[in-house]
Amino acid sequence: IYWKQKNYEQARVCYLESEKIYKKLGDKDNIIYSLGNLGSISSFLDNNFLQAEMYFNQALKLSQDQKNELMTGYCYEKLAEVY
């Protein structure tokens, strides 16, 4: 909801919190989504492409480990935008 409201700072807080929770639960698929969203915020809001690249690469590795082809494709797409 915060992303759609363009409240990106609050969205970042929620994505960071969700990543922590998903790590505790061992929910790797949702960790991938949280990392992807954090990468999007880093590139879109902060123009911090190095940080965005870091998040997308973390998400890419997890998505490949999980054999999540949808998110693997998304990560490659987002990495292309960062470069």
Side-chain angles (χ1 to χ4, degrees):
I1 228 170
Y2 292 119
W3 180 269
K4 290 185 187 240
Q5 293 174 341
K6 298 184 181 182
N7 185 348
Y8 302 115
E9 286 303 324
Q10 191 59 42
R12 180 194 328 261
V13 169
C14 289
Y15 289 136
L16 286 167
E17 190 60 32
S18 69
E19 180 195 11
K20 286 181 201 172
I21 292 168
Y22 293 138
K23 279 183 178 178
K24 266 188 194 179
L25 296 172
D27 186 343
K28 292 183 180 179
D29 282 333
N30 278 311
I31 294 169
I32 295 166
Y33 292 109
S34 294
L35 290 169
N37 289 326
L38 286 164
S40 293
I41 286 177
S42 295
S43 65
F44 177 74
L45 180 63
D46 301 331
N47 290 323
N48 187 339
F49 301 111
L50 289 175
Q51 185 175 39
E53 180 183 17
M54 178 199 68
Y55 283 126
F56 291 136
N57 277 320
Q58 287 177 3
L60 177 62
K61 178 162 180 7
L62 271 176
S63 66
Q64 290 171 328
D65 292 347
Q66 292 297 108
K67 297 183 180 14
N68 184 332
E69 292 181 15
L70 179 65
M71 279 308 288
T72 297
Y74 172 81
C75 292
Y76 278 125
E77 180 182 314
K78 289 302 184 178
L79 282 165
E81 290 174 7
V82 168
Y83 295 123

